[in-house]
């Protein structure tokens, strides 16, 4: 099966196509420019693969957690493309994609993903590789204060390989990861989402209108500015 994968859930904007035995991808760090860059990147990889959207079997998208705005942009583009080409869609976790990249690039079989969620919190989850070479969650994805993360993982045998922006944002987490320096893998890639999403696409896919984000945090706290 042949797929388009897109992700705009973090500061990175990422697109990839798997077309038969070839893969084409583009990746940019473009904070606050996702709405401008995502569609041109999709058009570019389609041209590189010399394929039309209607010739693909489905769309794999980053469902979060991550930036509320970025996740919504990615979902909106996914729905529009899926409607127009009459394709099913399947969401993949941002955290799982980073863990998958750690397995592909570093051979890490146990990974903790931690994304800076702002408001002094992190999105986090622990993953282990399965027999198919896919990183699978062994805890629930959650959002926590950094000082509560060690307690959340107290029953695991740690450290594990760390990915994501949360480690540098909150140095108190450092004892939980095995890689000493700043993580090399900070953001998810659409290429890693292809690996995950194609495995059970037929069982997990939905119609375009049912493509939904996974925010993890279901509320946002707004602080009123002085004088407003």
């Amino acid at each position: 099966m042949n797929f388009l994968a897109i992700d705009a859930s973090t500061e990175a904007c990422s697109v990839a196509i798997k077309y038969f035995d070839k893969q084409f991808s583009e990746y940019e760090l473009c904070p606050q420019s996702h709405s401008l860059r995502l569609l041109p990147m999709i058009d570019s990889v389609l041209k590189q693969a010399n394929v039309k959207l209607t010739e693909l079997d489905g769309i794999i998208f980053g469902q979060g957690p991550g930036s509320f705005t970025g996740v919504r942009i990615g979902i909106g583009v996914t729905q529009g493309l899926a409607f127009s080409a009459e394709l099913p869609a399947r969401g993949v976790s941002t955290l799982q994609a980073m863990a998958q990249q750690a397995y592909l690039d570093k051979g890490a079989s146990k990974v903790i993903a931690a994304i800076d969620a702002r408001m002094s919190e992190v999105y986090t989850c622990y993953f282990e590789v399965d027999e198919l070479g896919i990183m699978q969650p062994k805890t629930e994805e959650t959002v926590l204060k950094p000082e509560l993360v060690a307690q959340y993982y107290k029953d695991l045998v740690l450290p594990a390989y760390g990915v994501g922006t949360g480690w540098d944002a909150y140095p108190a987490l450092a004892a939980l990861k095995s890689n000493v320096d700043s993580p090399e893998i900070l953001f998810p890639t659409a290429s890693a989402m292809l690996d995950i999403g194609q495995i059970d696409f037929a069982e997990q896919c939905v119609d375009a209108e049912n493509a939904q984000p996974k925010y993890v945090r279901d509320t946002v706290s707004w602080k009123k500015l002085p004088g407003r």
Side-chain angles (χ1 to χ4, degrees), residues 168-204:
D168 286 346
Y170 305 104
L173 301 177
L176 302 177
K177 70 179 176 70
S178 56
N179 37 328
V180 177
D181 299 322
S182 296
E184 294 181 34
I185 299 168
L186 294 175
F187 305 109
T189 66
S191 296
M193 290 181 179
L194 280 175
D195 283 7
I196 298 166
Q198 67 182 337
I199 294 295
D200 54 359
F201 186 89
E203 293 77 23
Q204 298 292 330

Side-chain angles (χ1 to χ4, degrees), residues 11-82:
E11 288 92 325
C13 199
S14 184
V15 177
I17 281 181
K18 174 186 174 291
Y19 189 57
F20 292 102
D21 60 342
K22 294 183 179 180
Q23 184 168 310
F24 305 86
S25 63
E26 291 199 2
Y27 176 94
E28 287 186 22
L29 282 179
C30 51
Q32 301 180 11
S33 298
H34 295 58
S35 60
L36 299 176
R37 292 299 305 137
L38 192 54
L39 285 173
M41 290 170 69
I42 292 169
D43 184 58
S44 176
V45 293
L46 286 169
K47 288 178 178 176
Q48 291 173 48
N50 193 28
V51 63
K52 296 179 181 178
L53 189 63
T54 51
E55 296 178 80
L56 302 177
D57 296 296
I59 300 175
I60 297 165
F61 64 93
Q63 65 183 11
S67 158
F68 279 47
T69 300
V71 171
R72 288 196 296 270
I73 290 170
I75 298 287
V77 169
T78 296
Q79 289 180 326
L81 295 177

Side-chain angles (χ1 to χ4, degrees), residues 82-198:
F83 270 124
S84 66
E86 298 183 347
L87 294 176
R90 191 253 205 249
V92 169
S93 161
T94 305
L95 301 176
Q96 187 180 14
M98 290 192 298
Q100 186 68 22
Q101 199 68 50
Y103 175 70
L104 295 172
D105 292 353
K106 305 296 180 181
S109 59
K110 298 180 179 181
V111 173
I112 293 179
I115 293 178
D116 183 6
R118 312 303 180 187
M119 296 190 287
S120 299
E121 291 181 325
V122 291
Y123 298 119
T124 188
C125 189
Y126 171 78
F127 300 87
E128 292 184 3
V129 70
D130 67 11
E131 65 278 3
L132 297 176
I134 302 299
M135 298 300 287
Q136 300 292 351
K138 298 300 179 180
T139 64
E140 293 293 324
E141 294 186 350
T142 188
V143 59
L144 293 169
K145 295 291 185 183
E147 59 268 23
L148 300 179
V149 174
Q151 177 66 19
Y152 185 69
Y153 292 133
K154 63 182 177 62
D155 295 327
L156 301 177
V157 178
L158 298 177
Y161 193 85
V163 297
T165 56
W167 303 97
D168 286 346
Y170 305 104
L173 301 177
L176 302 177
K177 70 179 176 70
S178 56
N179 37 328
V180 177
D181 299 322
S182 296
E184 294 181 34
I185 299 168
L186 294 175
F187 305 109
T189 66
S191 296
M193 290 181 179
L194 280 175
D195 283 7
I196 298 166
Q198 67 182 337

